[in-house]
Amino acid sequence: MRPCLLFSLAARVFSEPLSLPLPKGDASVTLDWNEAAFGAEPSTTYSHSLSRAACYLSDAAYADVLAAPNDSALFTAYQTLGIPRSNIEAHYNIDYTDAMWGNDQCAFSFASKEIGSALGRRTLVFL
């Protein structure tokens, strides 16, 4: 089994600019992106470009994904990053009125795609 690369601090150099819409508003943010750079540096090496991408995706995860799942900023970002719709999972239907588990629930999404990293073909996982 090939190891997965988790989308966190796994790369240092990004070179391909991507323009992603902001979750609220008509503006967009441009991120540098180069999948071949994943694994080129130790995962403990800080990457400002990767940190910006993680911040963007974190913000997009809080947008109202259930109102229009296929048209949300998060799903648009995933698809702009080349993730097939079949590799995107989102669980945002939380019932806070549930007497037992209402306050112990967490909305989340995850996605994955195969990339050509510095370590060869790997699965990149977004959480």
Side-chain angles (χ1 to χ4, degrees), residues 37-108:
F38 280 91
E41 296 280 340
S43 62
T44 55
T45 302
Y46 174 75
S47 166
H48 190 69
S49 296
L50 187 56
S51 295
R52 287 186 71 222
C55 286
Y56 171 84
L57 291 169
S58 178
D59 184 45
Y62 285 95
D64 191 4
V65 174
L66 278 182
N70 296 323
D71 199 26
S72 70
L74 180 63
F75 282 64
T76 299
Y78 282 155
Q79 291 170 338
T80 301
L81 292 169
I83 300 170
R85 178 65 181 99
S86 61
N87 289 10
I88 302 170
E89 288 287 330
H91 299 277
Y92 285 85
N93 53 341
I94 295 176
D95 179 9
Y96 289 114
T97 64
D98 183 295
M100 176 70 85
W101 303 107
N103 292 323
D104 294 327
Q105 299 177 59
C106 180
F108 67 93

